[in-house]
Amino acid sequence: MRHSLNIFDIDLICYDFDGVMTDNRALVLEDGTEGVYVNRGDGLAVAAIRKIGIPQVIISTEENPVVTVRAAKLKVPVLQGISDKLTALEDFVKKNGHSLKRVAYIGNDINDLEAMQSVGFPIAPADAHPSILDLAVIVTSARGGEGVVREFLESVLDNGKT
């Protein structure tokens, strides 16, 4: 999808976790331990975004050690167990002096809808819920867990070139 968004338009990037950084599946072992697959390319993209100086945050409905560990490895703050993502995002934005108009929110499902409607740049993976796809200003060709963050970064960096 062609778009005019470039990296210099964004002051904060917010990620949903499951379905964006993962393929939305969880492996549940008999002892109750959960695991997910993540994409190392997304990890490199998160690090590159940090080097550029754009703050990032993960907002997840789930409260899970998997999310905690991944966020720590990525060096990204995480808000977990969030049933109202819009309020959590508004609070985070206000606390950190950002404007919702300059937030990119990458989400995939209906629990992201209200938050995504409030931001300037709603972004979706290819396999997002139809209501999210309809709202998105960028839909990646990557499905959740298949390099969504990497593709997003590369597309906005390409548009930032003069």
Side-chain angles (χ1 to χ4, degrees), residues 5-13 86 89-90 93-94 97-105 115-123 137:
L5 176 61
N6 74 62
I7 198 71
F8 305 111
D9 296 327
I10 301 166
D11 291 340
L12 172 69
I13 302 172
L86 174 58
L89 177 61
E90 288 172 337
V93 164
K94 184 177 180 182
H98 300 297
S99 165
L100 285 171
K101 292 177 184 173
R102 294 184 56 86
V103 171
Y105 187 112
M116 291 178 73
Q117 289 171 328
S118 74
V119 302
F121 311 111
I123 315 299
V137 296

Side-chain angles (χ1 to χ4, degrees), residues 23-57:
D23 65 2
N24 220 12
R25 297 183 303 163
L27 173 65
V28 181
L29 302 178
E30 60 191 26
D31 67 356
T33 304
E34 287 189 19
V36 297
Y37 286 101
V38 295
N39 187 290
R40 291 193 188 274
D42 282 346
L44 291 171
V46 168
I49 292 165
R50 185 174 47 259
K51 282 184 180 180
I52 293 168
I54 298 173
Q56 301 165 87
V57 64

Side-chain angles (χ1 to χ4, degrees), residues 65-116:
V66 170
V67 182
T68 304
V69 168
R70 186 63 177 160
K73 183 168 185 166
L74 296 174
K75 299 177 185 163
V76 173
V78 61
L79 308 173
Q80 292 188 69
I82 304 298
S83 60
D84 181 351
K85 290 186 176 186
L86 174 58
T87 299
L89 177 61
E90 288 172 337
D91 291 347
F92 188 88
V93 164
K94 184 177 180 182
K95 178 181 174 185
N96 291 283
H98 300 297
S99 165
L100 285 171
K101 292 177 184 173
R102 294 184 56 86
V103 171
Y105 187 112
I106 306 177
N108 74 305
D109 217 331
I110 56 175
N111 61 341
D112 298 306
L113 185 63
E114 287 183 328
M116 291 178 73

Side-chain angles (χ1 to χ4, degrees), residues 121-141:
F121 311 111
I123 315 299
D127 59 341
H129 187 274
S131 63
I132 300 299
L133 293 171
D134 288 344
L135 175 67
V137 296
I138 297 174
V139 176
T140 64
S141 59

